[in-house]
Each structure stands twice: as C-alpha cells, then as structure tokens.
Amino acid sequence: MKVTVFGIGYVGLVQGAVLAEVGHDVVCIDIDAMKVERLKQGYIPIYEPGLEALIKENYAAGRLKFTTDAAAGVKHGDVQFIAVGTPPDEDGSADLKYVLAVAETIAQHMERSQIIIDKSTVPVGTADKVSARISQILDLRRRKDLNFDVVSNPEFLKEGSAVADCMRPDRIVIGTSNTATEEIMRELYAPFNRNHEKIIVMDVRSAELTKYAANCMLATKISFMNEMANLAEILGADIEMVRQGIGSDPRIGYQFLYAGAGYGGSCFPKDVQALIRTADSINFDAKVLKAVEIRNNEQKSVLFKKISKYFNDELSGKTFALWGLSFKPNTDDMREAPSRILMEALWRAGAKVQAFDPEAMEEAQRIYGSRDDLNLCGTKEAALKGADALIIVTEWQAFKAPNIDFIKQNLKKSVIFDGRNLYEPKRMQKKGIDYLSIGRKN
Ligand code: NAD
C-alpha cells in the first residue's frame, strides 16, 4: 500500500520505517528541512534500539523516502497518517495547531479519495475537527466530489522499545464506524496481525479516549507507588518489599510498580494534563487525575530535598555527579525529564553538575548549550571525579552493577542519592556508603 506519514518524530519515523519494513511504500514528510536532509544523508535524529538499521535498509531499498514536499507526499499516499506533535497549550490542553495544519495541507493537495489516519494523541472530538477543516477547504477548492474519512488510530509504542512495539504491537486500535475504511485499515495492518487478532475496532471517540485512558492509567500506577514510597519512608517500611508483596497479586501485577523520581517524557505529563483540561471543559471534576499530577510534580523534587537536607542546605560550590539524563532508559528523550528539574534546582542553589548518560549527551548539549555549571562527561566514571556525591536519576542497565569501591575513591563524600532504587541498602551500608533512595529505610 502507498502510505504517507506527516511528522518525522518518535512516532512518525518509527511507524514509517516499520510499515516500509513489511513492504508498504512509505513517504515521510516533515516541515523541518534540516531533519529531512540529514535523514537522507543517513543521520538518524533520535535514538531507538534497532531503528538506524531499519531506516537505512528500507531507505536503500527505496521503500522509505523523506521529503518536505507536502504536495508530492499527499499525491503519493492511499492513506495519510498524521503523526505530528500535540504539545500542551498554555492551559495544559492539547494544542491542535500542528494536527490541523496537516489537515489543511492534505485538503489543499488531495486529488482523490483519502483516508486520513490520526496517530497523534488527540482529545476526543479531534477527528470531527479535522473533518470539518478538510471539508471547509474542499468547499473553497470547489472539490466537494472528493471523499475522505478520518480514522483514529492511536499509537501505544514505548520510547526505548519503539521498533519492537510497532513490529509486534499488543493491540491495534482502529476508531471508525465506516466498514470500507475498516477494511483498508485491516489491509494496512495485516502484516502485524498474523499471530492472533490484535485489531480492536471501535467508534472514533472511544479510540481517542482509549489512548488517554491508557497513559493516565500508567501514570496513576506510578503516582500511587510514589505515594506509598513516601508513606513507607515515614512509617519505617520498605517500598521494595511492599512492591513485591502487592505485585504478586495477579490482579495488580509487577509492571509499572516502581517508586522513583517521578514520571517524565513527552507523553504522560502532557496527556494527564490534557485529559484534566478536557474534563474541565465539560465541567467534570477529574479528581483522580488531578491527584496523579500533583503527586508527580511533588515527586520530581524529592531527590533535591534529600540532597539539600543531607548537605544542611549548603549546596553552593558543591559538585554533583549525575547518572542518567533521559527521562527513562534506552532513549535520548529529555522532554519533561526529572533530571532537568533536579539539575535546574541544583544550579539555582549554586551547585555544579557533572553528568553522564549513555545516549542523551547530545540532547543535553542541545538543551543547555555550554554553561559553566554543567560538565557533560564522556563516561560514567569521568562524571565521578572530584564530585561531592553521586545522584542516579535514570535506571540505565549500565548503572546497575557499578564498581562501588571506584565510586567511593572518586567522590569527596561517600554518598549516593538513588532516584531509582538500583542498589541494596545493606550492601551500600557494608561498603561504608551513605545511601539515600526512595521509600526505603535510609
Ligand atoms: P515529535 O515532536 O518527536 O515529532 C513531531 C514531528 O512533527 C516533528 O519532527 C515536527 O517537525 C513535525 N511536524 C510538525 N508540524 C508538521 C507539519 N505540518 N507537517 C509535517 N511535519 C510536521 O513528536 P512524537 O513524540 O513523535 O509525537 C507525535 C504524536 O504522537 C503526539 O501526539 C504524541 O503525544 C503521540 N505519541 C507519542 C509517543 C512517544 O513515545 N513519543 C507515543 C505514543 C503517541
């Protein structure tokens, strides 16, 4: 099938590459000319395991193309994916300007019937808005003869395993009430639906809400565990034991039960906020979601509070080794990352940071540029040299079994602040390390 994808971000690029891999003929369009040019030269703009090889192979085979030429892109596709960003507006609601801009572009250039697939995460009712905008432009073009249908097809990939998630999705949600559209969507996704039935067809509004409900449920689990962790600390309990104790109940399960430094990334914070705003707009008080957001915002400063208390609020002139900049492992994405809130608080308090991340160094450089109080180090060991303490913010595999003696020798004070509970407190105690983690007896 001929497929056009608008938006070469985490979702559009991965989905485009995966669709090309199974044999579809894919054109990806972005307004960022530099991104498109660099992709053509073989530079992959994001880090995702397996993505580089997938793109290079399919680009070389001619099944995957990149362009800024929207007219040519619209002409190419039998289906048009919208996979552009939906960042929070000033009040936290989803800003639809990029989605609607793509709708306009499609309407301006379409010359035959089209299926428009909304893959961006968008509030309930967006498909109607996209339809209205397209109809308006077709009216102006006097091309009412052109048929189109807007489908909601939310994306559930996880950054860090995006390629694997798209190659082997656990579900494919298709929001449409049009049987002809459903048939085309089934054909598009047939290569991913062989092992067992993964396609769930529903009405458009339910599909739009499903995506928000999924992310908000996961965010709720995290905020709940963070709340339990804070309680455990005060009550003298150990959240890691509690986690195992409740995770063993199959109704609860072990997934997503880790207490930590708060959730970040480009999805959970903005999607929780956007659903709260949707609820507000219809005078519905989303009490659970509001609590989830409040808990998370507070959780992001828990590590800083521990550090500040440990050093008697005297952080000025101190240097901190920081392991982990990305909002989670296996990605270079630092959007809404807890590391940013922590570093910025440390800088405000007059401290310096020596940071290392296996993949997000370029992104940190892009965000913060060169500043005297941030030293981006080439290795995790280099980040330790002469630092007053070590802080762990992201649970990369590479941080899970470090040489503790080396850490001790290189730090001025033998103290680790662990926002991801990577180590055994007893072992740290034996090694003579002050070990402050989340929700455990410190
Ligand atoms: P992103 O910011 O990484 O990429 C968006 C891309 O769209 C950018 O390259 C931008 O230049 C491009 N763009 C903007 N306007 C355009 C236009 N008019 N024409 C062509 N390209 C245009 O965003 P993302 O992380 O890929 O997210 C895209 C959507 O998918 C969002 O709604 C997000 O909530 C959702 N989503 C994201 C993830 C994730 O893990 N990142 C997972 C599931 C769903």
Side-chain angles (χ1 to χ4, degrees):
M1 196 179 281
K2 287 185 182 298
V3 176
T4 297
V5 180
F6 279 88
I8 304 182
Y10 281 85
V11 170
L13 182 57
V14 175
Q15 191 59 250
V18 164
L19 288 169
E21 174 71 7
V22 297
H24 293 306
D25 181 1
V26 182
V27 170
C28 293
I29 301 167
D30 206 287
I31 46 173
D32 184 340
M34 171 99 90
K35 194 185 257 189
V36 168
E37 208 37 55
R38 294 184 80 187
L39 266 162
K40 285 180 179 171
Q41 288 162 11
Y43 174 82
I44 312 303
I46 52 169
Y47 173 73
E48 272 298 330
L51 183 61
E52 184 163 352
L54 201 65
I55 290 175
K56 288 188 170 163
E57 271 168 37
N58 285 285
Y59 184 74
R63 282 190 300 268
L64 180 63
K65 300 184 189 76
F66 303 105
T67 182
T68 52
D69 185 345
V74 175
K75 196 170 165 205
H76 169 85
D78 301 320
V79 296
Q80 313 274 330
F81 273 97
I82 303 179
V84 294
T86 45
D89 216 335
E90 272 165 27
D91 67 350
S93 58
D95 185 348
L96 292 179
K97 68 170 176 276
Y98 303 109
V99 169
L100 294 174
V102 175
E104 283 173 15
T105 304
I106 295 169
Q108 275 152 7
H109 298 295
M110 66 189 263
E111 289 297 337
R112 59 191 152 107
S113 297
Q114 285 291 351
I115 290 182
I116 291 111
I117 306 172
D118 194 352
K119 209 159 229 334
S120 298
T121 302
V122 290
V124 174
T126 301
D128 294 341
K129 286 187 183 161
V130 168
S131 287
R133 190 64 62 96
I134 293 174
S135 295
Q136 215 178 10
I137 291 171
L138 291 180
D139 264 4
L140 289 172
R141 285 182 59 204
R142 297 181 194 287
R143 290 303 309 267
K144 275 182 159 177
D145 57 303
L146 295 172
N147 292 320
F148 71 92
D149 195 20
V150 181
V151 191
S152 169
N153 172 219
E155 180 53 60
F156 298 98
L157 67 78
K158 301 179 284 300
E159 283 182 26
S161 59
V163 171
D165 291 345
C166 286
M167 287 302 281
R168 286 178 295 282
D170 38 28
R171 79 283 216 197
I172 301 163
V173 169
I174 295 173
T176 183
S177 303
N178 180 323
T179 46
T181 301
E182 180 187 329
E183 213 169 288
I184 292 171
M185 293 299 287
R186 283 187 178 277
E187 187 187 330
L188 176 70
Y189 282 116
F192 308 96
N193 197 35
R194 292 177 63 83
N195 181 266
H196 62 274
E197 183 62 47
K198 294 173 184 172
I199 292 178
I200 307 169
V201 182
M202 57 183 80
D203 63 279
V204 176
R205 285 183 170 242
S206 300
E208 288 172 333
L209 185 56
T210 295
K211 174 64 194 175
Y212 281 102
N215 275 358
C216 290
M217 178 61 148
L218 294 170
T220 303
K221 282 183 106 173
I222 295 174
S223 274
F224 176 81
M225 284 312 281
N226 284 333
E227 187 148 307
M228 289 303 114
N230 298 343
L231 255 178
E233 265 181 39
I234 302 165
L235 296 173
D238 182 335
I239 194 65
E240 288 305 313
M241 301 317 302
V242 176
R243 180 178 66 77
Q244 292 180 40
I246 64 172
S248 49
D249 182 335
R251 292 171 304 174
I252 297 174
Y254 289 106
Q255 300 272 353
F256 257 75
L257 287 191
Y258 290 94
Y263 60 74
S266 68
C267 293
F268 289 3
K270 90 169 164 58
D271 292 348
V272 170
Q273 246 184 43
L275 194 52
I276 291 171
R277 294 297 160 261
T278 296
D280 283 348
S281 73
I282 49 168
N283 295 322
F284 179 85
D285 187 11
K287 291 190 177 73
V288 174
L289 295 178
K290 285 178 186 168
V292 167
E293 190 181 36
I294 291 168
R295 170 59 58 215
N296 194 57
N297 289 340
E298 285 181 12
Q299 198 67 18
K300 283 185 175 178
S301 57
V302 159
L303 263 184
F304 178 76
K305 284 186 186 147
K306 284 180 193 275
I307 297 164
S308 199
K309 188 173 167 202
Y310 184 88
F311 287 103
N312 299 317
D313 297 329
E314 288 166 11
L315 298 180
S316 184
K318 299 236 169 352
T319 300
F320 292 93
L322 188 140
W323 286 1
L325 292 163
S326 57
F327 83 93
K328 68 172 183 177
N330 296 321
T331 178
D332 57 356
D333 197 342
M334 286 180 64
R335 290 178 283 186
E336 302 266 345
S339 67
R340 294 174 68 166
I341 302 214
L342 176 59
M343 286 196 293
E344 286 161 23
L346 289 169
W347 292 331
R348 276 195 300 277
K352 290 186 176 179
V353 175
Q354 298 182 162
F356 170 76
D357 187 284
E359 292 297 337
M361 305 298 273
E362 252 181 64
E363 183 61 0
Q365 179 71 44
R366 190 190 67 77
I367 296 167
Y368 292 113
S370 313
R371 40 185 303 161
D372 293 345
D373 46 13
L374 174 63
N375 180 6
L376 294 170
C377 303
T379 62
K380 64 179 191 289
E381 289 78 17
L384 298 168
K385 293 249 176 318
D388 289 272
L390 167 63
I391 312 169
I392 298 166
V393 191
T394 318
E395 65 277 31
W396 283 92
Q397 289 291 6
F399 303 154
K400 288 186 177 163
N403 182 337
I404 299 296
D405 295 327
F406 184 86
I407 293 177
K408 234 182 127 174
Q409 282 155 18
N410 282 273
L411 292 179
K412 283 190 197 152
K413 247 181 145 3
S414 299
V415 56
I416 298 177
F417 300 94
D418 182 356
R420 300 294 166 190
N421 290 356
L422 297 188
Y423 313 132
E424 261 311 307
K426 275 198 189 122
R427 182 164 169 246
M428 293 296 130
Q429 202 182 10
K430 260 194 212 152
K431 290 275 183 187
I433 299 247
D434 287 345
Y435 179 62
L436 286 87
S437 52
I438 307 284
R440 297 193 284 185
K441 291 174 205 153
N442 292 309

